[in-house]
C-alpha cells in the first residue's frame, strides 16, 4: 500500500477557489450564461504517464498534466511546474489563472499550464533530462508555436526548457524555438525574460506606492519565497530604495527591522547554493544589526507595509488573514490568497494586487521572446524590461479604474476585464 494521500479540503482546492473568484466577478461582468459556462470549463486536459529510467537502473513512471484552458484569444500559454504536490486540480486552476492573466494585460494568448508530480531536488540532472524529454514526447502532438506554448514555472529552468525544445524539434523534424519560452538568452531565449516576473512585480509596487502616496524609503517589505521571482523582486525593490525587512525560502526566513541589502544575499543563495537563513547575515547593513529567525507563517504576519507572497498557493487563508499587518499585498505567487482570506483582507482595507496582474511580467517577457523567435531577432534587456513596464503600468491603471468604477477589489476588477475580453472573443469567433 502506498502512502495515504493528504485530503485536500474544499477551501484548499485551488480549482474550486478559481471558480469562486469567477463567481464574484460574474456579479459585475454579467456575461451571458451560455458563455459564462464556457469560461468556467477547461477546454482540454491531458493526463500523461512518463516512464523514466532512474540512475539506479530502476524505472519509475511519473504522472504529468497539461491543461489547455482556453484558446479563444490566441494560442494557449503557460508554464510547466515540477513539484511533489502537483495535482490535476492545481494545474486546472493555474491554467485558468493564465487565461485571465493574459487577458488582463491584453496579450494575444489563451491560457494553459503543465505540471509533473516529482521532486526535482531529489533527482540527478540526467534523470531530470530524461523526465523532461519524456514529458515533451507525451504532449508534443498537442502543442506548437501557434497552438500552446509552455514556459518555466516552479522548479523548472531555462535548461529544462531547452531540452524540451530539442525533443520537440526532433519530433517535428526542424528546430522550433518558438514552441517554448523561458529559454536561456544565448540559446534562443530573450534577455530579461528570467528577471521579468520579479522586476515586473517591482514595477507594480512602484505603481501602488504612487497611487497610495507612499515614500519608498520609508516603506518596509517582506517577501515570501526566494526563487527566481522572490530574489529578482528583492533585488529590484532594494535598488529602488525600498526597505526589505523580511525574507524567506522553503527552509525558513529572517526579519531584520533595519533592512537588508538583498543584492548581497542573492549571489550567496545562487552560487553557493545557500538558504536565506545561511546567507542573510551577508545583507546586514551595519555590524550591530539584529536578525530574527522567523518561520514562513510568521513572515506573513510581520509588521510591514508591503507583503509579497512569491512562493506557492494557499498561504493566506481564513486562518491567518486577520493577523496580517501589511497594508498592501502584491501577489507574485499564483493563487496565494484563498477567497475566504480575500473577503477578510478587503474588509480590513488591505490593497491587494492580484496574481493575474502582479506576476504577469513573466508571461509578458515570454510574449516578447516568442515574437523575437518568430522574427529571428534579439532585443536588448533594457528594451524588453521597458516594454514589460509599459504594459504593466497601462494594465494597472485599467484595473484600478475598473475597481473604482464598480467599487470592487482589484482581483474582481481584473477578472471583470479579463472575462469580458475572453467572452467577447468567444462570441465574435462564434464557438
Ligand atoms: N509560469 C509563469 C506564470 O505563471 C510564466 C508563464 C509563461 O511565461 O508562459 O505566469
Amino acid at each position: 500500500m502506498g502512502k495515504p494521500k493528504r485530503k485536500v479540503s474544499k477551501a484548499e482546492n485551488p480549482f474550486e477557489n478559481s471558480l469562486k473568484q469567477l463567481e464574484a466577478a460574474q456579479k459585475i461582468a454579467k456575461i451571458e450564461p451560455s458563455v459564462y459556462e464556457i469560461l468556467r470549463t477547461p477546454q482540454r486536459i491531458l493526463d500523461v504517464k512518463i516512464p523514466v529510467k532512474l540512475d539506479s537502473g530502476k524505472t519509475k513512471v511519473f504522472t504529468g498534466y497539461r491543461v489547455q484552458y482556453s484558446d479563444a484569444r490566441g494560442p494557449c500559454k503557460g508554464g510547466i511546474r515540477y513539484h511533489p504536490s502537483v495535482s490535476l486540480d492545481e494545474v486546472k486552476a493555474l491554467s485558468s489563472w493564465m487565461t485571465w492573466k493574459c487577458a488582463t494585460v491584453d496579450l494575444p494568448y489563451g491560457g494553459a499550464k503543465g505540471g509533473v508530480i516529482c521532486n526535482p531536488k531529489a533527482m540527478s540532472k540526467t534523470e531530470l533530462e530524461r523526465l523532461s524529454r519524456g514529458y515533451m514526447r507525451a504532449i508534443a502532438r498537442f502543442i506548437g508555436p501557434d497552438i500552446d506554448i509552455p514556459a518555466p514555472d516552479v522548479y523548472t529552468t531555462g535548461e529544462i526548457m531547452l531540452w524540451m525544445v530539442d525533443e520537440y524539434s526532433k519530433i517535428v523534424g526542424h528546430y522550433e524555438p518558438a514552441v517554448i519560452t523561458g529559454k536561456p538568452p544565448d540559446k534562443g531565449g530573450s534577455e530579461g525574460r528570467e528577471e521579468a516576473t520579479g522586476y515586473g512585480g517591482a514595477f507594480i509596487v512602484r505603481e501602488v506606492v504612487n497611487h497610495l502616496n507612499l515614500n519608498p524609503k520609508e516603506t518596509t517589505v517582506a517577501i515570501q519565497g526566494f526563487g527566481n521571482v522572490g530574489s529578482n523582486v528583492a533585488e529590484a525593490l532594494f535598488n529602488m530604495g525600498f526597505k526589505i525587512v523580511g525574507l524567506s525560502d522553503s527552509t525558513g526566513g529572517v526579519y531584520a527591522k533595519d533592512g537588508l541589502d538583498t543584492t548581497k544575499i542573492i549571489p550567496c543563495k545562487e552560487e553557493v547554493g545557500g538558504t536565506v537563513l545561511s546567507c542573510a547575515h551577508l545583507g546586514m547593513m551595519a555590524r550591530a544589526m539584529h536578525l530574527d529567525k522567523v518561520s514562513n507563517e510568521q513572515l506573513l504576519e510581520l509588521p510591514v507595509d508591503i507583503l509579497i507572497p512569491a512562493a506557492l498557493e494557499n498561504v493566506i487563508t481564513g486562518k491567518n488573514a486577520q493577523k496580517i499587518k501589511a497594508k498592501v499585498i502584491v501577489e507574485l505567487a499564483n493563487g496565494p490568497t484563498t477567497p475566504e482570506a480575500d473577503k477578510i483582507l478587503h474588509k480590513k482595507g488591505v490593497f491587494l494586487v492580484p496574481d493575474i496582474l502582479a506576476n504577469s511580467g513573466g508571461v509578458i517577457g515570454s510574449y516578447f521572446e516568442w515574437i523575437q523567435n518568430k522574427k529571428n531577432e534579439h532585443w536588448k534587456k533594457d528594451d524588453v524590461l521597458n516594454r514589460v513596464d509599459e504594459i504593466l503600468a497601462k494594465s494597472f491603471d485599467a484595473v484600478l479604474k475598473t475597481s473604482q468604477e464598480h467599487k470592487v477589489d482589484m482581483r474582481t476588477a481584473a477578472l471583470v476585464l479579463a472575462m469580458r475580453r475572453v467572452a467577447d472573443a468567444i462570441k465574435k469567433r462564434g464557438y
Side-chain angles (χ1 to χ4, degrees):
M1 248 179 30
K3 262 199 243 155
K5 274 207 178 133
R6 194 171 72 93
K7 255 189 119 179
V8 176
S9 74
K10 264 211 152 176
E12 283 178 59
N13 181 321
F15 188 59
E16 298 283 336
N17 288 347
S18 73
L19 291 179
K20 277 192 202 144
Q21 294 167 347
L22 284 194
E23 242 166 69
Q26 169 66 349
K27 292 198 181 109
I28 310 286
K30 297 197 172 58
I31 312 280
E32 62 191 67
S34 55
V35 178
Y36 179 58
E37 198 47 35
I38 301 178
L39 298 186
R40 292 168 41 86
T41 320
Q43 233 171 271
R44 181 193 255 168
I45 297 176
L46 302 173
D47 175 335
V48 298
K49 303 296 164 199
I50 316 150
V52 175
K53 188 151 236 172
L54 303 177
D55 294 345
S56 65
K58 284 199 186 121
T59 294
K60 183 170 170 175
V61 182
F62 290 85
T63 294
Y65 305 105
R66 182 78 186 164
V67 179
Q68 296 169 341
Y69 194 89
S70 168
D71 67 357
R73 288 174 41 87
C76 298
K77 184 85 192 83
I80 298 164
R81 172 173 298 198
Y82 284 1
H83 199 276
S85 71
V86 161
S87 69
L88 181 56
D89 274 323
E90 181 189 52
V91 182
K92 277 160 71 181
L94 291 163
S95 70
S96 135
W97 291 324
M98 281 311 303
T99 307
W100 316 125
K101 189 183 303 186
C102 292
T104 299
V105 295
D106 210 4
L107 298 181
Y109 287 141
K113 199 81 175 200
V116 178
I117 307 171
C118 66
N119 181 6
K121 288 186 177 170
M123 293 171 74
S124 71
K125 199 166 158 175
T126 49
E127 288 171 339
L128 269 179
E129 180 171 351
R130 288 194 287 274
L131 174 66
S132 305
R133 289 182 184 275
Y135 177 69
M136 178 47 82
R137 280 195 298 278
I139 66 164
R141 79 184 105 133
F142 303 101
I143 68 165
D146 295 306
I147 301 170
D148 176 8
I149 308 130
D153 194 71
V154 174
Y155 293 155
T156 48
T157 58
E159 187 177 35
I160 292 177
M161 296 305 113
L162 204 55
W163 292 328
M164 291 191 186
V165 167
D166 183 65
E167 198 63 28
Y168 182 84
S169 300
K170 281 178 184 146
I171 293 168
V172 295
H174 61 97
Y175 179 51
E176 189 58 273
V179 69
I180 287 194
T181 57
K183 303 174 291 292
D186 64 338
K187 300 282 180 300
S190 173
E191 306 295 338
R193 167 60 187 90
E194 202 176 343
E195 296 86 350
T197 317
Y199 272 65
F203 301 150
I204 289 286
V205 170
R206 182 204 59 213
E207 294 300 310
V208 175
V209 297
N210 286 344
H211 168 60
L212 300 176
N213 265 326
L214 303 172
N215 175 0
K217 296 211 160 41
E218 288 157 14
T219 303
T220 55
V221 184
I223 302 166
Q224 184 189 55
F226 211 63
N228 169 36
V229 180
S231 57
N232 275 303
V233 72
E235 176 181 281
L237 289 177
F238 178 79
N239 289 335
M240 286 158 100
F242 286 89
K243 211 162 151 189
I244 319 289
V245 297
L247 288 179
S248 74
D249 60 23
S250 60
T251 63
V254 292
Y255 174 54
K257 74 174 178 18
D258 300 314
L260 289 162
D261 179 347
T262 52
T263 59
K264 302 243 167 67
I265 304 173
I266 293 163
C268 163
K269 179 89 183 147
E270 272 169 10
E271 286 149 33
V272 192
T275 60
V276 163
L277 279 173
S278 65
C279 299
H281 66 280
L282 296 168
M284 296 201 326
M285 295 200 274
R287 203 179 286 181
M289 220 178 108
H290 190 71
L291 284 180
D292 282 319
K293 228 170 116 172
V294 291
S295 68
N296 259 298
E297 293 72 37
Q298 289 167 327
L299 182 117
L300 298 169
E301 297 165 19
L302 287 176
V304 294
D305 300 307
I306 302 181
L307 174 64
I308 304 185
L312 292 171
E313 59 264 29
N314 284 343
V315 293
I316 305 176
T317 66
K319 288 198 188 107
N320 63 357
Q322 203 53 259
K323 294 186 233 156
I324 284 180
K325 299 180 192 72
K327 299 186 250 333
V328 173
I329 297 179
V330 176
E331 295 184 331
L332 293 197
N334 287 310
T337 312
T338 65
E340 204 184 343
D342 257 337
K343 280 193 198 135
I344 300 171
L345 296 170
H346 188 56
K347 259 198 208 130
K348 277 172 57 141
V350 174
F351 187 86
L352 183 147
V353 188
D355 45 8
I356 57 172
L357 171 62
N359 72 28
S360 64
V363 73
I364 302 172
S366 278
Y367 170 57
F368 292 137
E369 178 172 332
W370 182 72
I371 294 180
Q372 290 171 76
N373 288 155
K374 288 198 162 240
K375 296 208 241 169
N376 250 319
E377 288 181 358
H378 197 79
W379 304 351
K380 289 197 196 82
K381 183 169 167 180
D382 279 355
D383 290 343
V384 174
L385 290 175
N386 286 338
R387 288 185 193 214
V388 170
D389 193 357
E390 219 173 278
I391 294 186
L392 282 173
K394 200 170 126 202
S395 308
F396 179 85
D397 264 0
V399 174
L400 185 62
K401 280 206 186 86
T402 309
S403 100
Q404 288 166 339
E405 186 189 326
H406 296 290
K407 299 193 175 47
V408 290
D409 59 76
M410 292 284 280
R411 185 185 322 279
T412 306
L415 279 172
V416 167
L417 269 182
M419 286 161 70
R420 282 186 175 156
R421 285 178 179 157
V422 179
D424 191 52
I426 290 174
K427 281 193 275 187
K428 293 202 173 128
R429 284 182 58 179
Y431 267 53

